[in-house]
Amino acid sequence: MTDRRRAIPGTDTVLADPRLAKAIDLLGRALVKKSVLAAQNRARAGEIEPESVIDEAIIGLPVSATSMQPVINATGVLVHTNLGRAPLSQTARDALSLAAGTTDVEFDLATGQRARRGRGALQALHQAVPDAGGVHIVNNNAAALLLTAMVLAPGKEIVISRGELVEIGDGFRIPELLASTGARLREVGTTNRTSLRDYRQAVTEQTGFVLKVHPSNFMISGFTADVPVSALAGLGVPLVMDIGSGLLRPHPLLPDEPDATTVLRAKANLVTASGDKLMGGPQAGLLFGDADLIEKLRRHPAARALRVDKLTLAALEATLHGPPPPVVSALDSEVDIHRARGIQKRLPGSEVVESTAVIGGGGAPGVELPSLAISLPEHLAAKLRRSRLPVVGRVERGRCLLDLRTVPPEDDEKLIAAVLACM
Ligand SMILES: *Cc1c(COP(=O)(O)O)cnc(C)c1O
């Protein structure tokens, strides 16, 4: 035993190995050392031979200096909040990487003067929604609502239907977010029914604005009524709509999902949305609306605290200019049966089964998208989550289902390799 221990190479010796020295250049010394220490401990415990410590330390190296791991989303949930919502298109990833260096984000190279920050992203957003008088970009939709309340309703009331007092997730509630600015909520109607008369009676000189919130993660059915944007636009106070998902134009598969263009044409003064849901871009809050109102938002002191960084601006612009991002592709195209069979044939004991994909936290509750899944024994689900390239599937009726609608076809080989490694 002591001989064995003596044969374990020392930390400095292992770290001097050229392959590990190279890893130090890429990952930093601390992470590489951690892997070396773990390998030495395994050798001390007799789990590996002393002479394999270097190889083991190399195997144990993380792929990146971030502890965040890339994951294959085989859940069938298109916008999965816990998996980082929308994955970016390759075009957006390239832009992100470019912007990570020194860039002209706020500088005019022609004149050498300061320029409008993120003008390219703003222009692309405006081009995508020409009905907007102006556009603005903040950290997320919650920030968009916060800024709106700070500009339009300081010390005033926000009129909102009781059917639209939404909790977004993880305990965050839109009414509490709005109230945190000091504005007061003036709730109208009931959970299931709100009429134009309810709104009309609530609007006074105390009103800052009327807010309509899309119930993006639940559905009320049965004896219900709500008031369309076009009817609320005539109340004589600013009308703001939080559409949630970030659809910029109507989508044929999502007839009940509001989109920025339609809502603006119905005469809303301001529309707020997320960038990382159905738009398929980076986390961002998108604001579309009357030019003078957008200018007020931009000029509010808090706007600086809510602004996005150059990485977001680059990824957002590239998402808008580039080919359809993964979320949009997954929404627009059904899974090809030949693709599913091709994968199934390479995974012994697997089957192709019909499945139902959903939009997820991003909106369109109740919309079911036909899909195909690779069905595997249930016990593989946990193994797949912990594999070197983690795959997250869905456990249903005693089987582990890998829904292919949310797996980009270019990731099929990686998916197959990950499953084979777990079998
Ligand atoms: C998702 C959502 C939000 C929150 O958006 P974030 O971008 O996560 O801040 C707000 N309102 C609605 C209706 C939503 O669907």
Side-chain angles (χ1 to χ4, degrees), residues 85 140-142 145 168 174 213-214 216 242 244 274 276-277 284 361:
R85 288 200 181 152
N140 57 12
N141 193 4
L145 288 166
I168 314 163
I174 291 179
V213 178
H214 176 52
S216 60
D242 169 11
S274 298
D276 55 353
K277 292 180 175 175

Side-chain angles (χ1 to χ4, degrees), residues 214-302:
H214 176 52
S216 60
N217 53 8
F218 69 101
M219 278 191 300
I220 297 182
S221 62
F223 185 53
T224 64
D226 72 339
V227 185
V229 172
S230 54
L232 292 177
L235 290 172
V237 290
L239 172 62
V240 179
M241 173 145 193
D242 169 11
I243 61 168
S245 77
L247 266 195
L248 303 183
R249 283 170 297 279
H251 192 286
L253 290 179
L254 309 172
D256 298 326
E257 199 61 19
D259 67 277
T261 299
T262 304
V263 171
L264 288 170
R265 285 185 184 167
K267 296 279 179 277
N269 302 98
L270 193 66
V271 173
T272 77
S274 298
D276 55 353
K277 292 180 175 175
L278 288 174
M279 210 192 79
Q283 179 188 305
L286 314 176
L287 288 142
F288 307 90
D290 297 349
D292 54 340
L293 183 48
I294 292 287
E295 192 54 24
K296 274 190 204 148
L297 295 168
R298 221 168 69 76
R299 290 278 157 219
H300 190 279

Side-chain angles (χ1 to χ4, degrees), residues 78 214 219 245 247 249-259 278 326-335 357-359 363-371 405:
L78 269 60
H214 176 52
M219 278 191 300
S245 77
L247 266 195
R249 283 170 297 279
H251 192 286
L253 290 179
L254 309 172
D256 298 326
E257 199 61 19
D259 67 277
L278 288 174
V327 168
V328 175
S329 302
L331 180 60
D332 287 342
S333 44
E334 291 194 18
V335 180
V358 295
I359 304 291
V367 168
E368 297 189 338
L369 304 166
S371 184
R405 191 137 185 172

